[in-house]
Amino acid sequence: MKATVLLLLVPLAALAQTDLHYEAENARLLGATRIAYENPEGTGRAWVTGFTQATDAIEFTITVPNAGDYQLDLTYSADGDKNIPVSIGDNFTGSRRLPKTTGFETRTYGRVPLVAGDNLLRIGTDWGYTDIDSIQLKPAAPPVPFQLRPQPVTPNASLETRQLYTRLTREFGRRTFSGQHESDTRKPTRLDQLAALTDGAAPAILGLDLQLYSQAWTNPERTGATELALDWALKCHGIVTLSWHWLSPFGGAEPAWNSFSTDKTTFDASRITDETSPEYAAIIVDLDLIAAQLKRLQAADVPVLWRPLHEAEGRWFWWGAHGPETTKALYRLMFDRFTKFHHLDSLIWVWTTTDNNDAPDWYPGDDYVDIIATDLYAPEGTHGDFSAVFDRLRELYHGHKPIALGECGALPVLTDRAPWLWFLVWDDNLVRPAVNAHVVIADTYRATRVLRLPDLQTNVTVSP
C-alpha cells in the first residue's frame, strides 16, 4: 500500500529516463521453466520456455531509482492468443491476453507500479505454452482521465435511480462498495457467513440472479430472488445488483437450469434480427417475464444495478455464441424493450467486459451503458489490486464509465491505482480459505476505503 501512495505522488518527469532491458535467461527459473537456444548446440538466441503448469514462472529483480508507474513490454513467442499473468512482489496486477506471434514479437503488457530500489517482477503461467525472450520497462504515460456523465442512460430515470447513480459516481475513485452474491435464495447463507467472519459486517451490495424466471423453467417454484431483493432494499436499505443466467428460450438440453451454456442449447440468437422468427418471439416472451420482476422492484422505488448478458465475449453462454454483432443487437433490443415498452426507469445498466483488445467490438455503446464491469477470478492463493486490468479497461473505454468488479473470487487489494467502484464476491468463494483467507475478509471489511451496509444511510440529493 505504501508503494501505491508513492506512485501517485511522483510526477512522470521525475522517473528514470533510461529504458530497462532484462533477458529472460538471466531471470530466476521456477517450476519446469528452462532455457532454450536458437541452435541445438546451445548457441545463438536464448529464451525461456516450459510455461505449462501454474507453478511455472520466471522472476526478475528490477532496480529503478524512482518510484512510479512503468510501461512493461514483453518480447515473446506464442502459437495462439495467450493470457500472461504478471505480479509485482505479492501484488497480482492481472493476466493480459496477448496475441499469437510469428516468431518473437514485442507487445505492451501495461503499467506496473515499481518502488525505488529493487522490485520482484514475476511472469507466471495462465494459458501456458508461451516462450519469453526478454522484458523492457520505461516510464509510463499518465492514464486516461475519467470523464463521467452526470445522469444515467435510462431515459427519465427515477429519482431513486438518479440518487444511486450520483452516489456511485461521487464515491468512484475514493471508496469501494462491498458486495456479496447469494445463489441459494431459498436458504440464503452467505450474509450470515460473512457476518461470522467479520464480527457482524454486512455488504453494501447484495447480488442475486433472475435465472429461474426464464420461460424455460417450468417448475412453478421460483427462486425467491425478487422477494429477497425487496427485503434487502426495503428492510436493510442495501443496494441490489441483478444478473441473469438466461435459460435458453428454446432448444435447451435437460436439465433446463443450465441451458444458458452454449453447449447445452441449439438456440440461434443471430435470428433475432428477423422479427418474424420464432427466436425473436421467444426472446420477447423472456424479456417480458423479467420486466415483470423488475417492475415489482420499481413499484417499491428500488433501483437496480442491472447486469445482463455477462461474459458474452467468452462465447460460453448462448448470448455470446454468435459473436459481437448478435450480442449487441440483443442488448439493445432489451434496453429498448425495457425502457420504451415497459417504461422501466429504475435500472442502472452494467456491461460486463474483459480487458482484451477486441472487447470494444462487443460494446453496446456509451448511450446504453452506465458502468463497465469485469468478472475476475485470480488463481487460488493469489491476491492483488488487479491494476493492469483496471488500467486497460480505463483505456479501452476512454475513461467514460466507472469500473467495477462485477464478479470476483479473491477479494481485491484496494488501492488508489485501481479504485474499483465495487467488488462482488461470487457465492461460495467467500468461504473457500484457499481463495479468501478469513483474515483477508476481516481486514477488507475493516478498511476505511470500503463502504459497508451502514455507510449507505447518508442521504444523497440530486437536482430535479
Side-chain angles (χ1 to χ4, degrees), residues 16-40:
Q17 296 303 307
T18 303
D19 293 357
L20 305 173
H21 181 95
Y22 292 83
E23 290 291 333
E25 64 267 25
N26 297 325
R28 181 186 177 201
L29 308 185
L30 303 174
T33 57
R34 65 188 187 279
I35 299 174
Y37 293 91
E38 186 175 16
N39 297 316

PDB file of all heavy atoms in Angstrom, residues 16-40:
ATOM      1  N   ALA A  16      12.921   7.609 -13.932  1.00  0.00           N
ATOM      2  CA  ALA A  16      14.137   7.341 -14.694  1.00  0.00           C
ATOM      3  C   ALA A  16      13.847   7.442 -16.188  1.00  0.00           C
ATOM      4  O   ALA A  16      12.822   6.986 -16.665  1.00  0.00           O
ATOM      5  CB  ALA A  16      14.654   5.943 -14.347  1.00  0.00           C
ATOM      6  N   GLN A  17      14.780   8.021 -16.914  1.00  0.00           N
ATOM      7  CA  GLN A  17      14.549   8.239 -18.337  1.00  0.00           C
ATOM      8  C   GLN A  17      15.163   7.154 -19.214  1.00  0.00           C
ATOM      9  O   GLN A  17      14.975   7.143 -20.419  1.00  0.00           O
ATOM     10  CB  GLN A  17      15.107   9.613 -18.738  1.00  0.00           C
ATOM     11  CG  GLN A  17      14.393  10.776 -18.061  1.00  0.00           C
ATOM     12  CD  GLN A  17      12.904  10.772 -18.321  1.00  0.00           C
ATOM     13  OE1 GLN A  17      12.466  10.716 -19.469  1.00  0.00           O
ATOM     14  NE2 GLN A  17      12.106  10.817 -17.268  1.00  0.00           N
ATOM     15  N   THR A  18      15.942   6.269 -18.618  1.00  0.00           N
ATOM     16  CA  THR A  18      16.591   5.221 -19.387  1.00  0.00           C
ATOM     17  C   THR A  18      15.730   3.970 -19.397  1.00  0.00           C
ATOM     18  O   THR A  18      15.325   3.477 -18.353  1.00  0.00           O
ATOM     19  CB  THR A  18      17.962   4.887 -18.771  1.00  0.00           C
ATOM     20  OG1 THR A  18      18.754   6.076 -18.721  1.00  0.00           O
ATOM     21  CG2 THR A  18      18.687   3.834 -19.606  1.00  0.00           C
ATOM     22  N   ASP A  19      15.463   3.459 -20.594  1.00  0.00           N
ATOM     23  CA  ASP A  19      14.701   2.215 -20.693  1.00  0.00           C
ATOM     24  C   ASP A  19      15.517   1.074 -20.120  1.00  0.00           C
ATOM     25  O   ASP A  19      16.739   1.013 -20.265  1.00  0.00           O
ATOM     26  CB  ASP A  19      14.353   1.932 -22.158  1.00  0.00           C
ATOM     27  CG  ASP A  19      13.386   2.957 -22.728  1.00  0.00           C
ATOM     28  OD1 ASP A  19      12.957   3.833 -21.966  1.00  0.00           O
ATOM     29  OD2 ASP A  19      13.080   2.868 -23.931  1.00  0.00           O
ATOM     30  N   LEU A  20      14.831   0.152 -19.491  1.00  0.00           N
ATOM     31  CA  LEU A  20      15.470  -1.003 -18.859  1.00  0.00           C
ATOM     32  C   LEU A  20      15.191  -2.241 -19.680  1.00  0.00           C
ATOM     33  O   LEU A  20      14.075  -2.439 -20.165  1.00  0.00           O
ATOM     34  CB  LEU A  20      14.946  -1.180 -17.436  1.00  0.00           C
ATOM     35  CG  LEU A  20      15.081   0.035 -16.512  1.00  0.00           C
ATOM     36  CD1 LEU A  20      14.373  -0.228 -15.197  1.00  0.00           C
ATOM     37  CD2 LEU A  20      16.543   0.366 -16.276  1.00  0.00           C
ATOM     38  N   HIS A  21      16.196  -3.096 -19.816  1.00  0.00           N
ATOM     39  CA  HIS A  21      16.065  -4.315 -20.617  1.00  0.00           C
ATOM     40  C   HIS A  21      16.603  -5.480 -19.801  1.00  0.00           C
ATOM     41  O   HIS A  21      17.706  -5.411 -19.255  1.00  0.00           O
ATOM     42  CB  HIS A  21      16.858  -4.173 -21.918  1.00  0.00           C
ATOM     43  CG  HIS A  21      16.757  -5.367 -22.814  1.00  0.00           C
ATOM     44  ND1 HIS A  21      15.835  -5.443 -23.848  1.00  0.00           N
ATOM     45  CD2 HIS A  21      17.439  -6.552 -22.823  1.00  0.00           C
ATOM     46  CE1 HIS A  21      15.968  -6.605 -24.461  1.00  0.00           C
ATOM     47  NE2 HIS A  21      16.933  -7.296 -23.857  1.00  0.00           N
ATOM     48  N   TYR A  22      15.820  -6.557 -19.737  1.00  0.00           N
ATOM     49  CA  TYR A  22      16.224  -7.747 -18.988  1.00  0.00           C
ATOM     50  C   TYR A  22      15.992  -8.971 -19.862  1.00  0.00           C
ATOM     51  O   TYR A  22      14.888  -9.172 -20.396  1.00  0.00           O
ATOM     52  CB  TYR A  22      15.414  -7.887 -17.699  1.00  0.00           C
ATOM     53  CG  TYR A  22      15.697  -6.819 -16.666  1.00  0.00           C
ATOM     54  CD1 TYR A  22      15.060  -5.580 -16.739  1.00  0.00           C
ATOM     55  CD2 TYR A  22      16.581  -7.047 -15.624  1.00  0.00           C
ATOM     56  CE1 TYR A  22      15.307  -4.597 -15.801  1.00  0.00           C
ATOM     57  CE2 TYR A  22      16.835  -6.075 -14.672  1.00  0.00           C
ATOM     58  CZ  TYR A  22      16.199  -4.858 -14.766  1.00  0.00           C
ATOM     59  OH  TYR A  22      16.444  -3.870 -13.827  1.00  0.00           O
ATOM     60  N   GLU A  23      17.012  -9.797 -19.994  1.00  0.00           N
ATOM     61  CA  GLU A  23      16.905 -11.042 -20.748  1.00  0.00           C
ATOM     62  C   GLU A  23      16.314 -12.132 -19.868  1.00  0.00           C
ATOM     63  O   GLU A  23      16.701 -12.286 -18.694  1.00  0.00           O
ATOM     64  CB  GLU A  23      18.278 -11.476 -21.263  1.00  0.00           C
ATOM     65  CG  GLU A  23      18.845 -10.586 -22.359  1.00  0.00           C
ATOM     66  CD  GLU A  23      18.068 -10.710 -23.665  1.00  0.00           C
ATOM     67  OE1 GLU A  23      17.463 -11.786 -23.898  1.00  0.00           O
ATOM     68  OE2 GLU A  23      18.062  -9.742 -24.453  1.00  0.00           O
ATOM     69  N   ALA A  24      15.392 -12.910 -20.433  1.00  0.00           N
ATOM     70  CA  ALA A  24      14.693 -13.932 -19.655  1.00  0.00           C
ATOM     71  C   ALA A  24      15.641 -15.019 -19.144  1.00  0.00           C
ATOM     72  O   ALA A  24      15.433 -15.571 -18.056  1.00  0.00           O
ATOM     73  CB  ALA A  24      13.583 -14.557 -20.496  1.00  0.00           C
ATOM     74  N   GLU A  25      16.692 -15.328 -19.912  1.00  0.00           N
ATOM     75  CA  GLU A  25      17.579 -16.407 -19.474  1.00  0.00           C
ATOM     76  C   GLU A  25      18.377 -16.046 -18.221  1.00  0.00           C
ATOM     77  O   GLU A  25      18.958 -16.914 -17.568  1.00  0.00           O
ATOM     78  CB  GLU A  25      18.541 -16.803 -20.598  1.00  0.00           C
ATOM     79  CG  GLU A  25      19.512 -15.733 -21.034  1.00  0.00           C
ATOM     80  CD  GLU A  25      18.993 -14.910 -22.197  1.00  0.00           C
ATOM     81  OE1 GLU A  25      17.759 -14.838 -22.360  1.00  0.00           O
ATOM     82  OE2 GLU A  25      19.820 -14.335 -22.936  1.00  0.00           O
ATOM     83  N   ASN A  26      18.370 -14.743 -17.869  1.00  0.00           N
ATOM     84  CA  ASN A  26      19.047 -14.313 -16.645  1.00  0.00           C
ATOM     85  C   ASN A  26      18.098 -14.225 -15.452  1.00  0.00           C
ATOM     86  O   ASN A  26      18.524 -13.882 -14.356  1.00  0.00           O
ATOM     87  CB  ASN A  26      19.698 -12.955 -16.872  1.00  0.00           C
ATOM     88  CG  ASN A  26      20.770 -13.009 -17.938  1.00  0.00           C
ATOM     89  OD1 ASN A  26      21.485 -14.010 -18.066  1.00  0.00           O
ATOM     90  ND2 ASN A  26      20.891 -11.940 -18.727  1.00  0.00           N
ATOM     91  N   ALA A  27      16.828 -14.525 -15.683  1.00  0.00           N
ATOM     92  CA  ALA A  27      15.848 -14.482 -14.595  1.00  0.00           C
ATOM     93  C   ALA A  27      15.961 -15.742 -13.739  1.00  0.00           C
ATOM     94  O   ALA A  27      16.597 -16.740 -14.123  1.00  0.00           O
ATOM     95  CB  ALA A  27      14.442 -14.360 -15.166  1.00  0.00           C
ATOM     96  N   ARG A  28      15.324 -15.718 -12.598  1.00  0.00           N
ATOM     97  CA  ARG A  28      15.208 -16.917 -11.770  1.00  0.00           C
ATOM     98  C   ARG A  28      14.126 -17.808 -12.356  1.00  0.00           C
ATOM     99  O   ARG A  28      13.003 -17.371 -12.585  1.00  0.00           O
ATOM    100  CB  ARG A  28      14.850 -16.529 -10.341  1.00  0.00           C
ATOM    101  CG  ARG A  28      14.738 -17.716  -9.390  1.00  0.00           C
ATOM    102  CD  ARG A  28      14.229 -17.262  -8.041  1.00  0.00           C
ATOM    103  NE  ARG A  28      14.053 -18.397  -7.139  1.00  0.00           N
ATOM    104  CZ  ARG A  28      13.275 -18.389  -6.068  1.00  0.00           C
ATOM    105  NH1 ARG A  28      12.593 -17.287  -5.775  1.00  0.00           N
ATOM    106  NH2 ARG A  28      13.171 -19.443  -5.306  1.00  0.00           N
ATOM    107  N   LEU A  29      14.460 -19.070 -12.619  1.00  0.00           N
ATOM    108  CA  LEU A  29      13.529 -20.005 -13.239  1.00  0.00           C
ATOM    109  C   LEU A  29      12.817 -20.817 -12.173  1.00  0.00           C
ATOM    110  O   LEU A  29      13.461 -21.383 -11.281  1.00  0.00           O
ATOM    111  CB  LEU A  29      14.273 -20.936 -14.200  1.00  0.00           C
ATOM    112  CG  LEU A  29      15.162 -20.269 -15.261  1.00  0.00           C
ATOM    113  CD1 LEU A  29      15.726 -21.323 -16.205  1.00  0.00           C
ATOM    114  CD2 LEU A  29      14.406 -19.207 -16.039  1.00  0.00           C
ATOM    115  N   LEU A  30      11.506 -20.909 -12.260  1.00  0.00           N
ATOM    116  CA  LEU A  30      10.693 -21.633 -11.285  1.00  0.00           C
ATOM    117  C   LEU A  30       9.902 -22.718 -11.988  1.00  0.00           C
ATOM    118  O   LEU A  30       9.513 -22.576 -13.152  1.00  0.00           O
ATOM    119  CB  LEU A  30       9.744 -20.678 -10.568  1.00  0.00           C
ATOM    120  CG  LEU A  30      10.382 -19.494  -9.828  1.00  0.00           C
ATOM    121  CD1 LEU A  30       9.308 -18.564  -9.288  1.00  0.00           C
ATOM    122  CD2 LEU A  30      11.283 -19.989  -8.700  1.00  0.00           C
ATOM    123  N   GLY A  31       9.628 -23.809 -11.252  1.00  0.00           N
ATOM    124  CA  GLY A  31       8.846 -24.900 -11.820  1.00  0.00           C
ATOM    125  C   GLY A  31       9.605 -25.597 -12.935  1.00  0.00           C
ATOM    126  O   GLY A  31      10.804 -25.872 -12.830  1.00  0.00           O
ATOM    127  N   ALA A  32       8.920 -25.842 -14.046  1.00  0.00           N
ATOM    128  CA  ALA A  32       9.509 -26.577 -15.166  1.00  0.00           C
ATOM    129  C   ALA A  32      10.105 -25.656 -16.229  1.00  0.00           C
ATOM    130  O   ALA A  32      10.490 -26.131 -17.306  1.00  0.00           O
ATOM    131  CB  ALA A  32       8.454 -27.480 -15.804  1.00  0.00           C
ATOM    132  N   THR A  33      10.176 -24.361 -15.971  1.00  0.00           N
ATOM    133  CA  THR A  33      10.747 -23.461 -16.968  1.00  0.00           C
ATOM    134  C   THR A  33      12.225 -23.782 -17.175  1.00  0.00           C
ATOM    135  O   THR A  33      12.929 -24.183 -16.249  1.00  0.00           O
ATOM    136  CB  THR A  33      10.576 -21.989 -16.559  1.00  0.00           C
ATOM    137  OG1 THR A  33      11.172 -21.779 -15.276  1.00  0.00           O
ATOM    138  CG2 THR A  33       9.110 -21.610 -16.500  1.00  0.00           C
ATOM    139  N   ARG A  34      12.684 -23.548 -18.386  1.00  0.00           N
ATOM    140  CA  ARG A  34      14.066 -23.868 -18.725  1.00  0.00           C
ATOM    141  C   ARG A  34      14.512 -22.958 -19.860  1.00  0.00           C
ATOM    142  O   ARG A  34      13.693 -22.395 -20.592  1.00  0.00           O
ATOM    143  CB  ARG A  34      14.209 -25.329 -19.134  1.00  0.00           C
ATOM    144  CG  ARG A  34      13.472 -25.689 -20.412  1.00  0.00           C
ATOM    145  CD  ARG A  34      13.478 -27.178 -20.685  1.00  0.00           C
ATOM    146  NE  ARG A  34      12.898 -27.485 -21.997  1.00  0.00           N
ATOM    147  CZ  ARG A  34      11.595 -27.564 -22.233  1.00  0.00           C
ATOM    148  NH1 ARG A  34      10.731 -27.362 -21.255  1.00  0.00           N
ATOM    149  NH2 ARG A  34      11.161 -27.851 -23.453  1.00  0.00           N
ATOM    150  N   ILE A  35      15.819 -22.876 -20.044  1.00  0.00           N
ATOM    151  CA  ILE A  35      16.377 -22.055 -21.112  1.00  0.00           C
ATOM    152  C   ILE A  35      16.432 -22.872 -22.397  1.00  0.00           C
ATOM    153  O   ILE A  35      16.831 -24.044 -22.402  1.00  0.00           O
ATOM    154  CB  ILE A  35      17.786 -21.560 -20.739  1.00  0.00           C
ATOM    155  CG1 ILE A  35      17.709 -20.695 -19.467  1.00  0.00           C
ATOM    156  CG2 ILE A  35      18.392 -20.750 -21.885  1.00  0.00           C
ATOM    157  CD1 ILE A  35      19.069 -20.274 -18.937  1.00  0.00           C
ATOM    158  N   ALA A  36      16.011 -22.253 -23.494  1.00  0.00           N
ATOM    159  CA  ALA A  36      16.120 -22.852 -24.820  1.00  0.00           C
ATOM    160  C   ALA A  36      17.005 -21.950 -25.680  1.00  0.00           C
ATOM    161  O   ALA A  36      17.123 -20.743 -25.422  1.00  0.00           O
ATOM    162  CB  ALA A  36      14.743 -23.004 -25.454  1.00  0.00           C
ATOM    163  N   TYR A  37      17.615 -22.563 -26.697  1.00  0.00           N
ATOM    164  CA  TYR A  37      18.542 -21.823 -27.548  1.00  0.00           C
ATOM    165  C   TYR A  37      18.157 -21.955 -29.012  1.00  0.00           C
ATOM    166  O   TYR A  37      17.495 -22.909 -29.417  1.00  0.00           O
ATOM    167  CB  TYR A  37      19.977 -22.327 -27.350  1.00  0.00           C
ATOM    168  CG  TYR A  37      20.543 -22.039 -25.983  1.00  0.00           C
ATOM    169  CD1 TYR A  37      20.411 -22.970 -24.952  1.00  0.00           C
ATOM    170  CD2 TYR A  37      21.208 -20.842 -25.726  1.00  0.00           C
ATOM    171  CE1 TYR A  37      20.929 -22.710 -23.694  1.00  0.00           C
ATOM    172  CE2 TYR A  37      21.734 -20.576 -24.468  1.00  0.00           C
ATOM    173  CZ  TYR A  37      21.582 -21.508 -23.461  1.00  0.00           C
ATOM    174  OH  TYR A  37      22.092 -21.249 -22.215  1.00  0.00           O
ATOM    175  N   GLU A  38      18.613 -20.996 -29.780  1.00  0.00           N
ATOM    176  CA  GLU A  38      18.322 -20.983 -31.206  1.00  0.00           C
ATOM    177  C   GLU A  38      18.918 -22.190 -31.919  1.00  0.00           C
ATOM    178  O   GLU A  38      18.321 -22.744 -32.836  1.00  0.00           O
ATOM    179  CB  GLU A  38      18.868 -19.689 -31.810  1.00  0.00           C
ATOM    180  CG  GLU A  38      18.505 -19.469 -33.251  1.00  0.00           C
ATOM    181  CD  GLU A  38      18.968 -18.105 -33.744  1.00  0.00           C
ATOM    182  OE1 GLU A  38      19.820 -17.472 -33.073  1.00  0.00           O
ATOM    183  OE2 GLU A  38      18.465 -17.676 -34.785  1.00  0.00           O
ATOM    184  N   ASN A  39      20.101 -22.634 -31.495  1.00  0.00           N
ATOM    185  CA  ASN A  39      20.786 -23.764 -32.114  1.00  0.00           C
ATOM    186  C   ASN A  39      20.855 -24.935 -31.145  1.00  0.00           C
ATOM    187  O   ASN A  39      20.964 -24.746 -29.924  1.00  0.00           O
ATOM    188  CB  ASN A  39      22.198 -23.366 -32.539  1.00  0.00           C
ATOM    189  CG  ASN A  39      22.185 -22.285 -33.586  1.00  0.00           C
ATOM    190  OD1 ASN A  39      21.396 -22.353 -34.532  1.00  0.00           O
ATOM    191  ND2 ASN A  39      23.033 -21.273 -33.428  1.00  0.00           N
ATOM    192  N   PRO A  40      20.818 -26.156 -31.626  1.00  0.00           N
ATOM    193  CA  PRO A  40      20.877 -27.334 -30.749  1.00  0.00           C
ATOM    194  C   PRO A  40      22.130 -27.366 -29.890  1.00  0.00           C
ATOM    195  O   PRO A  40      22.126 -27.953 -28.796  1.00  0.00           O
ATOM    196  CB  PRO A  40      20.853 -28.515 -31.741  1.00  0.00           C
ATOM    197  CG  PRO A  40      20.251 -27.967 -32.987  1.00  0.00           C
ATOM    198  CD  PRO A  40      20.663 -26.538 -33.045  1.00  0.00           C
TER     199      PRO A  40
END
